[in-house]
Amino acid sequence: MLALSHYNSSASPLPPHFYNVSAGKVEAGVAVEELPQPGNLTLVQPTTTGVIVVILSMTLGIISNIVALFILASAYSRQRRRTKATFLLFATSLVVTDFIGHVIPGGLVLRLYLSGGVHPEDFSSSDRMCQFLGGSMVFFGLCPLFMGCAMAAERCLGVTKPLLHSSLVTKTRTKICLSVIWLSALCVAMLPCFQLGSYTYQDPGTWCFINVLSDTKEVDVAFVVLFSGLGLTSLAVALVCNTISGLTLVLARLRRQPGSHHSAKSHDIEMVVQLVGIMVTSCICWSPLLIFGLMSVIRSYMGFVGEDLPHYKTLMVMGVRLATWNQILDPWVYILLRRTVLRKIYLIVKCQAGLRGNMLGRWEPTSFPSSEKNDVNQV
């Protein structure tokens, strides 16, 4: 979605928003080459390397989501188990949302990147493209988190209360739940349209997000608290539900009688493993941006940023970099954590363990008895 790298400095002076050199550290920005302009200003142009990085990142995300979508569609068409079909419907919606969320904001960022970005003096302004890009980041950020939470809650109900799950969870209700998720995320993303928060260009001028660092007001703080609070709450609920599901399946596995039928449990295990993978990926990718944004807007509103402003800008850039990887890694969670792949990994590990056991078994009867015979002969 976004690709950010470093600025190159030249002899021409730049405004402090473009770079900050302190103790050998250069503030994160976009890789650019500077051309002298009249009036002691500089025009930034993207380097070939930076453009290639952006294109490769977008290509990787598009291919990953398309492959996962093809696998999910094929599995959904063959699935007859209702609980599995519901999970696949959620997973397919998640991949589609990630795919769109990778293409639309990524295309806008690439356009800004190729145009050289926005001048620091215009960071506080917010045109239509900035409004759309900022809203897209909020919308496509909340949707995967909400979906991961809903999927974890659905599986927790299916594992702990299967009868209640079978009576409550249907395809129609699942589609209604997905619609509510998309609508809720859209409502949050459109709050600045009603003057409840604002989107501004973020350093280095190639992406837009909630205003967290300059001229923050009460509505900006409330908007960030709402966005970060919803995201972190979704991650916490998913963590609790997945923990309950995992413990329930482990206990059921330990109590299972030898020779009993457990194919349904294998499906549950597969889905819970995938949900844990999605949850871990979301926590790693989105938690930094949610936390850094909350920290930045609170300190900015209280007037404590001051000289630490470049530091908080760097934290925000790092956070958005990690967040972009969520849409690339989510598809691979399903691709790699399918039951067929897990079974192959299990068989490989079991085969390796068996080979080691056989080698150890051959060592014991050939080595120790011979040593005992030698001792007897000596006696």
Side-chain angles (χ1 to χ4, degrees):
M1 183 168 63
L2 303 176
L4 305 172
S5 50
H6 294 275
Y7 278 108
N8 298 325
S9 60
S10 65
S12 302
L14 283 176
H17 288 82
F18 272 73
Y19 68 94
N20 175 37
V21 180
S22 177
K25 295 183 179 179
V26 182
E27 183 182 346
V30 178
V32 295
E33 294 174 351
E34 300 173 16
L35 301 176
Q37 297 293 322
N40 295 328
L41 296 177
T42 57
L43 176 66
V44 293
Q45 295 293 334
T47 62
T48 304
T49 304
V51 175
I52 292 175
V53 170
V54 177
I55 295 175
L56 288 178
S57 175
M58 289 189 63
T59 303
L60 177 61
I62 291 172
I63 293 175
S64 301
N65 283 279
I66 289 177
V67 171
L69 187 60
F70 176 78
I71 295 174
L72 282 166
S74 178
Y76 185 80
S77 63
R78 299 193 310 266
Q79 189 54 238
R80 297 294 181 267
R81 191 184 300 274
R82 194 175 71 175
T83 56
K84 182 67 173 179
T86 302
F87 176 83
L88 291 175
L89 182 58
F90 269 118
T92 303
S93 302
L94 176 62
V95 172
V96 171
T97 304
D98 280 338
F99 175 76
I100 300 175
H102 193 77
V103 173
I104 293 179
L108 294 176
V109 170
L110 183 61
R111 178 184 174 183
L112 283 170
Y113 189 85
L114 291 175
S115 65
V118 178
H119 196 276
E121 295 178 355
D122 299 326
F123 278 7
S124 58
S125 64
S126 180
D127 52 21
R128 291 183 178 180
M129 187 173 71
C130 181
Q131 292 285 332
F132 184 75
L133 178 56
S136 297
M137 290 194 61
V138 171
F139 175 79
F140 291 112
L142 288 177
C143 280
L145 298 177
F146 287 168
M147 288 183 185
C149 178
M151 293 168 70
E154 184 268 336
R155 272 298 81 215
C156 182
L157 181 63
V159 171
T160 57
K161 304 290 183 180
L163 295 178
L164 181 61
H165 176 273
S166 61
S167 62
L168 289 180
V169 180
T170 61
K171 288 185 180 179
T172 302
R173 290 176 179 174
T174 301
K175 293 177 182 179
I176 294 175
C177 179
L178 289 169
S179 301
V180 170
I181 287 174
W182 285 320
L183 183 60
S184 300
L186 181 62
C187 290
V188 175
M190 293 185 65
L191 285 178
C193 297
F194 303 97
Q195 305 302 319
L196 300 175
S198 60
Y199 296 121
T200 58
Y201 285 101
Q202 304 290 319
D203 195 72
T206 56
W207 60 293
C208 290
F209 194 59
I210 307 171
N211 182 23
V212 296
L213 289 175
S214 60
D215 299 327
T216 53
K217 302 176 182 178
E218 291 84 355
V219 289
D220 297 318
V221 177
F223 191 20
V224 177
V225 170
L226 177 64
F227 173 72
S228 298
L230 290 174
L232 294 174
T233 301
S234 299
L235 292 174
V237 172
L239 175 61
V240 172
C241 291
N242 288 328
T243 301
I244 295 174
S245 300
L247 292 176
T248 303
L249 290 175
V250 169
L251 293 176
R253 186 79 176 182
L254 294 175
R255 296 170 182 171
R256 182 175 60 87
Q257 298 296 327
S260 62
H261 182 69
H262 60 280
S263 59
K265 293 299 180 182
S266 64
H267 284 281
D268 289 334
I269 292 173
E270 177 190 21
M271 290 185 283
V272 171
V273 168
Q274 291 172 353
L275 284 176
V276 170
I278 292 173
M279 180 194 66
V280 172
T281 302
S282 298
C283 286
I284 295 175
C285 294
W286 274 104
S287 293
L289 181 60
L290 297 174
I291 295 173
F292 293 160
L294 197 59
M295 291 170 49
S296 300
V297 74
I298 291 176
R299 293 187 66 85
S300 175
Y301 178 72
M302 298 179 67
F304 293 156
V305 174
E307 297 179 355
D308 294 333
L309 182 61
H311 174 67
Y312 283 97
K313 289 181 178 180
T314 304
L315 290 179
M316 290 298 296
V317 172
M318 291 173 57
V320 77
R321 284 177 180 173
L322 285 173
T324 58
W325 277 97
N326 185 73
Q327 295 156 331
I328 299 176
L329 297 177
D330 266 349
W332 288 102
V333 170
Y334 183 80
I335 293 172
L336 297 178
L337 297 183
R338 289 176 296 149
R339 188 170 50 166
T340 54
V341 178
L342 293 175
R343 184 184 292 114
K344 290 179 180 179
I345 296 175
Y346 172 75
L347 292 176
I348 292 174
V349 173
K350 184 178 180 180
C351 181
Q352 294 294 330
L355 289 176
R356 293 179 181 178
N358 291 336
M359 293 177 62
L360 184 60
R362 287 195 298 268
W363 162 268
E364 291 178 350
T366 55
S367 176
F368 288 99
S370 61
S371 62
E372 292 176 357
K373 290 181 180 178
N374 292 334
D375 293 339
V376 172
N377 292 334
Q378 290 177 2
V379 174

